Amino acid sequence: MAEAPRMPIESGCPDPIQYMHPTMRRNYGQWVYHDRPRSGVLHHTSKNNEEVWTVRCGTARQMDVYTIRKLADIADEFADGFVRFTMRSNVEYMVADGAKVEPLIVALIEAGFPVGGTGPSVAMISHTQGWLHCDIPGTDASGIVKSLMDELHEEFTREEMPNRVHMTTSCCQINCGGQGDIALNIQHTKPPKINHDLVANVCERPTVVARCPVAAIRPAMVNGKPTLEVDEKKCICCGACFPPCPPMQINDPEHSKIALWIGGKNSNARSKPSFHKLVASNLPNNPPRWPEVGAVVKNILSVYKDDARDWERMGEWVDRIGWPAFFEKTGLPFTKFHINDWKGARHELNSSAYIRF
Amino acid sequence: MAELYNTPNLDELENGPWPSFVTGLKRLASDSHAGAEMARDVLGTLETSYVTKKGYWKGGTVGVIGYGGGIIPRFNELKNEDGTYKFPAASEFHTLRIQPPAGMHYTSTLLRDMCDMFVDNGGSGLIAFHGQSGDIMLQGATEETTQTIFNTFNDYGFDLGGAGPAVRTGMSCVGASRCEMSNVNEQAVLRTLVNAFLDDMHRPALPYKMKFKVSGCANDCMNTVQRADFAVIGTWRDDIKVNQDLWKAMVADKGRSYVIDNITSRCPTSAMTLNEDNSITIDNKNCVKCMHCLNVTSPLTHKYIAKGDVEPILATGDDKGVMIIMGGKRTLKIGDLFGSVVVPFMKMDTADDFEAIEDLAGEVIDFFAENALEHERTGEMIERIGVVNFLEGIGLNVDPNMVNSTRTSSYVRMDTWDEEAVKWFENKAEASA
């Protein structure tokens, strides 16, 4: 009789205490306040009068094992062998001795890891998989992020923004990358190109029909074969049909463009959380450096940096000055596409006498 | 060692000060480990994408014995005219999703062991810390090596995360381990929720994904409100603690206009009054725990505190717990949705409290499994059936904290108004008993 296969041990999410720096373990839930001695460094004090310094550095997120081993070596040399990651793929080293902070910073910078991303800085861009690993990408993610972070490097290592700036990048409109103060998402501008010979073999057609948010997809017969067709007047080019039906190709090397959205915020501080809103589109998907996207991002950041008050997140700044001023100050065009015509759109229109002259 | 392909586009991404994933991939491709050729052919595939602006990976079905999900299969679509692979060593490039320790804490030994376990079993050596759901992504395995890599990680104490229509890997903030704003044991809440539903994670059978995320305060560093079907956010319901001496020292130093412009006037409910003598009065009944005044004052504390004192200028209260916000999600299919409040406050101290949140999550998953349409997230289901039906389905009472405003539409049938009013007064009486 064949040997029974090894069955998995369903251990789930591991207990972090065993991997936690001992100072954090001892003072779990006992922290009282923190300060930021310099950009990239947090200094926390606990009820027990214990202190911990955190040094934060950026990474490429997709790392080779040599880079990870280097991070481990730095942990051994300076941080008692402990690290943690942030949700934006930064690495944090915790040290209980303030004298170790400077040598740790030097070691990280020498090893090529920028130190920063704390306080009012431009944080590392959280992003998706893109051409490297996604099955429906309109663009790359790691590459755009690398190009942008090169350009915004100094805004990561300094704390000179009015408040923190969280950026996100998504390689399609499904937007796995998330909401951000600035979000870069691909925007498809043409309906899917259908390979009718393949649809019946590859796609569960009713599922695809059900997926369309505007009911633009219907069954059809082409060349004697069952397939699907798209009412191109209705189609909003969202791409939702492509994942369950790859013969409905939505990605287009020329016509899939990059759009910028601003003002997304998950924190409740001062104002309720907000979604990001469209500011620019039709930017070319231009690897390997996406210079047009970088130029618009830097323009928006520079206007925000000059014009916003301390503590104002990007969306709060626009709420204060108004959208006409935003387009005036950035020089970006305001088009009919900025006006929402989707469900619930009228809530986004101005129904007041509030107009600035 | 095989020679690397010519990659002029990707080479551009080795310039500049930010760490480059391309340099990492090239290092892997130039190595002698079993997955090196895969890394080399992935570079070739990616360079092709940079030239043609198209993606070349398609999905499929790859798994490990005993589980239905957790591996992201990728097969290469770039083929020669005779049907052979253009980049044969990257004909398969699957990702294993591994659940990290809650709060993403690691030791150097753990990181090194993970690297070794991955490459020694044939993996490419490319790892993402972390994917957007919070998983460690071991990027680059074949169907053959997937099982061995998983077995090794599993024996070491790590488990696969979720993929597809399943409970997903969760995330919790650094919270109590290093943050003064923490109101709950975030990492324990996350582990309670995720680990109670591992069957729903490993054997995808839900209508669509179900995500738990935990933030320790309303700063919501985990972005639970926009990204989790079941968001848990720490909060408190008694008064903010004020150290008036430190507060006054801060006002004297920073000046009244700084304090008015940056702190008191930014309070969203105007609950703060700066008094003539520079002390502060807080209308705690009106405080919505937005966190702004705490965020501003915490980093200033060290300037005014005497060595040995460990009281901040302002601090969260003592009567801590969590709120639960449900239905946040990204764009597909009906557009981005915020979660909305379903439980305004729940204590989270005792074993019974933890059992209560687990029970509620169980009700939610059962209701979702039975009532959502295929490929519908909880937020979309709630939008389709209405939040009242959802609350009744999972056995929660309505609460005015659940709305921004009451209804504006008169198109509703209200013939059970009196019974509902009685219910409100009964629930109120029960809560105050």
Side-chain angles (χ1 to χ4, degrees), chain B residues 231-274:
Chain B
V232 182
I233 299 181
T235 191
W236 70 96
R237 56 183 176 181
D238 55 344
D239 294 355
I240 289 186
K241 289 188 219 158
V242 186
N243 183 321
Q244 293 286 1
D245 292 339
L246 292 181
W247 174 272
K248 283 184 185 173
M250 178 198 66
V251 180
D253 179 36
K254 306 287 283 185
R256 286 178 67 91
S257 18
Y258 173 89
V259 173
I260 291 164
D261 289 348
N262 287 287
I263 307 178
T264 55
S265 68
R266 303 291 179 92
C267 173
T269 53
S270 304
M272 303 185 92
T273 310
L274 181 62

Side-chain angles (χ1 to χ4, degrees), chain B residues 4-300:
Chain B
L4 297 190
Y5 297 103
N6 197 16
T7 55
N9 282 286
L10 295 178
D11 295 350
E12 290 286 328
L13 293 172
E14 291 196 272
N15 300 326
W18 197 260
S20 172
F21 71 103
V22 173
T23 305
L25 263 170
K26 282 188 178 175
R27 239 181 336 236
L28 292 172
S30 315
D31 194 14
S32 57
H33 71 285
E37 292 204 352
M38 178 192 278
R40 181 200 60 185
D41 280 16
V42 164
L43 275 168
T45 308
L46 189 58
E47 175 70 18
T48 311
S49 284
Y50 270 65
V51 173
T52 62
K53 303 189 193 180
K54 286 165 76 175
Y56 293 106
W57 301 107
K58 67 173 178 188
T61 315
V62 174
V64 297
I65 292 166
Y67 285 175
I71 312 292
I72 313 298
R74 289 293 176 253
F75 296 92
N76 204 313
E77 287 187 303
L78 276 169
K79 290 187 179 169
N80 298 308
E81 276 177 19
D82 63 0
T84 55
Y85 284 104
K86 271 192 180 158
F87 298 100
S91 61
E92 294 176 71
F93 182 48
H94 314 313
T95 284
L96 285 88
R97 289 186 167 173
I98 300 284
Q99 290 187 70
M104 295 170 175
H105 300 270
Y106 294 83
T107 60
S108 52
T109 310
L110 174 58
L111 287 179
R112 276 197 205 93
D113 289 349
M114 284 185 161
C115 292
D116 294 346
M117 291 189 292
F118 187 36
V119 289
D120 292 350
N121 288 292
S124 75
L126 186 70
I127 306 180
F129 284 101
H130 299 84
Q132 290 296 87
S133 292
D135 299 279
I136 306 162
M137 313 275 273
L138 305 175
Q139 299 177 298
T142 62
E143 203 159 352
E144 200 186 329
T145 56
T146 294
Q147 184 73 51
T148 334
I149 295 168
F150 169 67
N151 288 352
T152 316
F153 273 79
N154 196 215
D155 286 339
Y156 191 81
F158 283 80
D159 199 358
L160 277 196
V167 167
R168 297 296 189 89
T169 301
M171 289 167 106
S172 58
C173 63
V174 67
S177 58
R178 202 205 51 213
C179 184
E180 68 276 19
M181 308 298 180
S182 166
N183 290 294
V184 64
N185 187 341
E186 299 82 3
Q187 288 146 33
V189 173
L190 179 75
R191 294 187 69 229
T192 299
L193 291 171
V194 167
N195 290 349
F197 303 102
L198 290 177
D199 188 45
D200 285 308
M201 172 180 284
H202 294 137
R203 292 159 199 90
L206 295 175
Y208 199 25
K209 61 182 91 164
M210 162 62 70
K211 294 187 174 184
F212 295 108
K213 290 189 196 296
V214 184
S215 280
C217 78
N219 280 317
D220 197 3
C221 290
M222 286 294 103
N223 196 358
T224 66
V225 72
Q226 286 158 336
R227 304 198 59 121
D229 297 276
F230 192 106
V232 182
I233 299 181
T235 191
W236 70 96
R237 56 183 176 181
D238 55 344
D239 294 355
I240 289 186
K241 289 188 219 158
V242 186
N243 183 321
Q244 293 286 1
D245 292 339
L246 292 181
W247 174 272
K248 283 184 185 173
M250 178 198 66
V251 180
D253 179 36
K254 306 287 283 185
R256 286 178 67 91
S257 18
Y258 173 89
V259 173
I260 291 164
D261 289 348
N262 287 287
I263 307 178
T264 55
S265 68
R266 303 291 179 92
C267 173
T269 53
S270 304
M272 303 185 92
T273 310
L274 181 62
N275 301 319
E276 290 294 326
D277 66 351
N278 285 353
S279 64
I280 186 80
T281 302
I282 299 177
D283 171 11
N284 274 286
K285 188 72 193 155
N286 255 322
C287 167
V288 289
K289 283 76 181 169
C290 90
M291 306 306 293
H292 174 74
C293 60
L294 295 156
N295 291 344
V296 180
T297 53
S298 177
L300 296 175

